[in-house]
Amino acid sequence: MPEHVTIKDIARILNISVSTVSRALRDAYDVNPETREKVLQLAKELDYKPNFNASGLAGGGTRNIGIILPFITNYYFSMVITGIQEIAYAKGYNIVLYVTNDSPERELDVVKNLNTQNLDGVLVAVCSDSAANGYFERIIAEGTPVVFFDRVLGGVDASKVVQDDYNGAFEAVEHLIQQGFTRIAHVAGPLDLDFTRQRLAGYLDALERYDIPVRKEWIVHSGFSQAHGEDDLARLFDQMERPDAVFAVNDRKAIGVMQALKARRVAIGRDFGVIGFTNDPMSTIITPTLSTVAEPAYEVGKMSCELLLQHIVRKSNFQPREIVLPGMLIPRESTLRTLS
Amino acid sequence: MPEHVTIKDIARILNISVSTVSRALRDAYDVNPETREKVLQLAKELDYKPNFNASGLAGGGTRNIGIILPFITNYYFSMVITGIQEIAYAKGYNIVLYVTNDSPERELDVVKNLNTQNLDGVLVAVCSDSAANGYFERIIAEGTPVVFFDRVLGGVDASKVVQDDYNGAFEAVEHLIQQGFTRIAHVAGPLDLDFTRQRLAGYLDALERYDIPVRKEWIVHSGFSQAHGEDDLARLFDQMERPDAVFAVNDRKAIGVMQALKARRVAIGRDFGVIGFTNDPMSTIITPTLSTVAEPAYEVGKMSCELLLQHIVRKSNFQPREIVLPGMLIPRESTLRTLS
DNA sequence: TATTTTAGCGAGAACGTTACCGAAATAACT
DNA sequence: AGTTATTTCGGTAACGTTCTCGCTAAAATA
């Protein structure tokens, strides 16, 4: 019953060879526009669907692209995937999803077992403490197109798409300063990730720019979760001298910070400024609403995918590119001094 | 350089035929345990990776399973995927992701172009107003294993995994009643989705069970978003007689309801009860915290995937199953009368 | 012992496509 | 006119598996 129409059927009916049909169906190389038209016409009529297993086997593409990332259960990554998916769908590519749970072992296993014969290319956001560096390099050296996004890997010869973490952080801290906060702490993430370092750098440079001395004890870092944010604030409040504002590496941690502040009955906004990074919808739900730097997650996804597809079609003569997309400061109540 | 070791290499080295190697690598049918052991040993040594394109072409499986769903940017679906992914990874299957954006046209297009030759099976949550009924039936009739989850399709002969929407809704409304709310409205979702109807039924039966007359004007329905929740509450408050509590079909709408209530300076909890459905992390972030019915999203994902894999390996002699997983009532501040 | 069964294996043909190369046929030059 | 390019096509061999047979040798049966 699964009577699938193949390239052979088309060839037989049109009384031409399969080679010609194959060529006509892809790019009109070595084929008469007329016969090409006939092939396309008949293919549509018969509802022909190419078999990508065969195509992949024979050396053509599989039309599958892989995504390797730590999580999908947060706003940022799910938006990135949505962006990727939009482009992939438009261009007729399928997405194969690999979630590493932010575990280096899992990531390593995924990359080792990445069947690059099944994949035309891979989009990747590495996990914290990634140990797969060498394996990614090998895949890239073998010629598989790879694009890193958000959590990029240093030193490898591949395209990269990130948001402007440095300037976003700078603007966030600048905003705190302009709101009159001067004792600004930074609740950071794992420092092995590039964007964490970028945001830290933006924080440091903003302080320097406004002649505010850096206090190392006000830079605390741990994981990315809300609980980590709560812990980090506790560590900040355990100190003799407390800060009066926090720039958090992301919204989830900022929300943890806010919850911890609420538990301590600190008036967020008026007495204590909090700003995050991401623009997670949660930041509009929490009271007071959380100021943040909006990340162009959807655009990061789209851009990454577009780059990857370019790499795939141009294959060897494609120069890796590094793209930085701008974020946007979104002031809300958590940094508003005038809040009653 | 991409020197990939194949089944032929193993055969040549061991001086046996490819057929034997092939059999040894899969299930030990017609192969001596000794030679099987040798093959497995050498395969591991050479780091042999099967080519699933070839396998798929030749009639074996592709080790790819598809997921078709409306969104990935909400808590529920992202958790379901995480669950699916966990099982798939453990069993060595890849996940191919199709996001329909809850658009019937898009879904139709995806299903029509679903290359079932590339997929061993498909997991699907249909979109609102799905028009792909017939196409799913065709795929199923062709023998492709399909499991529906959450948003199931009625009448088709396939496995289904859902949470206990009816009882969850019943318990939610019962909880409102027990908290002393009597004028309970229902902010529903699109009624063409089965689980929306189930939750409505639970709502109606709970009212009946406690001898509370149903007021049709207090049952409003629209989409699933927060904005829809705000609109629905406005419609409720436009009426002469207002309810004193709302059971919302999901947390996003419940949050919309809460925001609209806050704008109207209604004391949520004390004067007006709100309960949602899902247990989205947002429900713990909002003030007051939102009571809800926790959905076993992760378990739905795991169970769906397990069922699908069973179907795949047992192929024709697999009886479709329907599984209902229990939810759990989680009372929080938004239904607490005693709240100051 | 003669016969049948069974376990284990191999040969070869698929599966649907693309890559490679050569053959016509036509067009464009001397 | 003869020669050379160019365009358009077809034949055939892959790609790495699985599948369907059929074969051999050993084991079980008569």
Side-chain angles (χ1 to χ4, degrees), chain B residues 45-59:
Chain B
E45 255 174 51
L46 298 183
D47 195 30
Y48 165 76
K49 304 271 166 56
N51 183 326
F52 294 118
N53 287 320
S55 171
L57 233 204

Side-chain angles (χ1 to χ4, degrees), chain B residues 7 22 26 48 58:
Chain B
I7 220 178
S22 174
R26 290 173 288 133
Y48 165 76

Side-chain angles (χ1 to χ4, degrees), chain B residues 291-303:
Chain B
S291 301
T292 191
V293 177
E295 293 180 283
Y298 186 74
E299 287 73 23
V300 166
K302 287 180 72 170
M303 186 57 83

Side-chain angles (χ1 to χ4, degrees), chain A residues 16 30 94-95 110-111 114 160 174 192 235 254 283-284 312:
Chain A
I16 57 181
D30 260 12
N94 293 327
I95 286 175
V110 165
V111 180
L114 237 209
K160 295 166 187 175
E174 187 174 49
D192 66 297
R235 282 160 62 198
S283 57
T284 67
I312 288 171

Side-chain angles (χ1 to χ4, degrees), chain A residues 284-303:
Chain A
T284 67
I285 299 295
I286 195 166
T287 310
T289 54
L290 173 64
S291 300
T292 191
V293 178
E295 293 181 282
Y298 186 75
E299 287 74 23
V300 166
K302 287 180 73 170
M303 187 57 83

Side-chain angles (χ1 to χ4, degrees), chain A residues 106-327:
Chain A
R106 176 83 166 255
E107 181 180 81
L108 203 58
D109 189 59
V110 165
V111 180
K112 277 187 183 172
N113 285 85
L114 237 209
N115 204 332
T116 48
Q117 303 170 63
N118 289 336
L119 260 26
D120 288 354
V122 191
L123 293 157
V124 18
V126 299
C127 66
S128 318
D129 251 329
S130 173
N133 200 306
Y135 287 92
F136 282 121
E137 279 178 356
R138 190 211 287 188
I139 288 174
I140 292 167
E142 277 178 4
T144 308
V146 174
V147 173
F148 290 94
F149 64 92
D150 185 53
R151 300 186 172 196
V152 303
L153 217 51
V156 297
D157 184 35
S159 292
K160 295 166 187 175
V161 179
V162 295
Q163 50 280 337
D164 194 341
D165 294 301
Y166 173 84
N167 280 311
F170 189 98
E171 286 175 30
V173 175
E174 187 174 49
H175 170 68
L176 285 171
I177 295 169
Q178 285 167 351
Q179 287 292 311
F181 299 104
T182 53
R183 309 163 61 80
I184 301 171
H186 181 35
V187 167
L191 286 179
D192 66 297
L193 290 174
D194 191 60
F195 77 86
T196 310
R197 293 196 301 270
Q198 292 293 322
R199 292 179 195 178
L200 174 60
Y203 161 81
L204 293 172
D205 284 6
L207 291 186
E208 190 185 5
R209 164 76 182 72
Y210 286 89
D211 294 320
I212 299 177
V214 172
R215 302 179 59 149
K216 285 194 65 175
E217 68 275 21
W218 284 353
I219 301 174
V220 294
H221 52 88
S222 56
F224 285 123
S225 75
Q226 186 173 324
H228 285 125
E230 295 182 26
D231 293 348
D232 287 356
L233 183 100
R235 282 160 62 198
L236 249 20
F237 266 47
D238 279 348
Q239 303 178 14
M240 292 288 289
E241 298 211 47
R242 294 176 179 172
D244 67 355
V246 160
F247 162 53
V249 69
N250 69 2
D251 286 349
R252 280 316 287 261
K253 288 197 85 166
I255 287 170
V257 166
M258 286 176 74
Q259 301 290 48
L261 286 168
K262 285 189 196 178
R264 288 168 174 76
R265 310 232 160 265
V266 176
I268 298 167
R270 194 190 59 189
D271 296 341
F272 200 102
V274 180
I275 189 164
F277 211 112
T278 297
N279 199 26
D280 190 303
M282 281 192 186
S283 57
T284 67
I285 299 295
I286 195 166
T287 310
T289 54
L290 173 64
S291 300
T292 191
V293 178
E295 293 181 282
Y298 186 75
E299 287 74 23
V300 166
K302 287 180 73 170
M303 187 57 83
S304 305
C305 193
E306 271 167 7
L307 234 50
L308 185 71
L309 294 188
Q310 279 182 31
H311 196 155
I312 288 171
V313 301
R314 290 223 264 278
K315 209 67 190 170
S316 55
N317 56 345
F318 175 83
Q319 275 300 328
R321 292 175 56 192
E322 303 201 5
I323 291 177
V324 179
L325 297 172

